[in-house]
Amino acid sequence: IEIIVENLTSIYSYNNSLIAPFDSSLKLVNYLLEDNKMFLEFNCFCCIEKDYLDLIVYSVFDNYEVDSIIFLENNQKILEKFRKDT
């Protein structure tokens, strides 16, 4: 998961002409995989626009066998996304 988020937040993507969709100050603070759920805690969840949030969601569901992704900020649940809804 760290690699996925790092790639999405890096200043340039693999093609140097493309700018990353996230602010480079966005950091994954912590993550946990438990009971078919992935918990992702970011330092600034409100910095993620909906379209870019979908990039994270699809990347996680493509790479992990989880039923849901729970987004946290300051140890507080902000949003939960379910595989069945994607």
Side-chain angles (χ1 to χ4, degrees):
I1 188 66
E2 291 171 325
I3 294 170
I4 292 170
V5 173
E6 183 178 318
N7 284 337
L8 292 173
T9 58
S10 63
I11 295 173
Y12 296 101
S13 68
Y14 294 110
N15 178 344
N16 285 344
S17 65
L18 300 175
I19 305 286
F22 300 102
D23 185 325
S24 61
S25 65
L26 180 68
K27 301 292 181 217
L28 179 64
V29 175
N30 197 9
Y31 68 93
L32 174 67
L33 186 58
E34 184 177 82
D35 298 327
N36 273 351
K37 296 180 182 184
M38 181 167 285
F39 297 83
L40 301 177
E41 183 170 2
F42 288 91
N43 62 330
C44 180
F45 180 81
C46 64
C47 298
I48 307 173
E49 294 182 32
K50 186 206 175 302
D51 291 341
Y52 300 138
L53 179 68
D54 289 342
L55 283 174
I56 296 172
V57 169
Y58 292 128
S59 294
V60 170
F61 286 145
D62 282 348
N63 290 285
Y64 294 90
E65 289 297 319
V66 294
D67 295 325
S68 69
I69 305 165
I70 299 171
F71 291 90
L72 307 163
E73 184 177 359
N74 296 322
N75 290 321
Q76 302 241 353
K77 180 178 173 180
I78 306 295
L79 177 69
E80 185 168 6
K81 292 285 201 169
F82 297 93
R83 179 183 293 275
K84 65 180 178 159
D85 297 335
T86 58

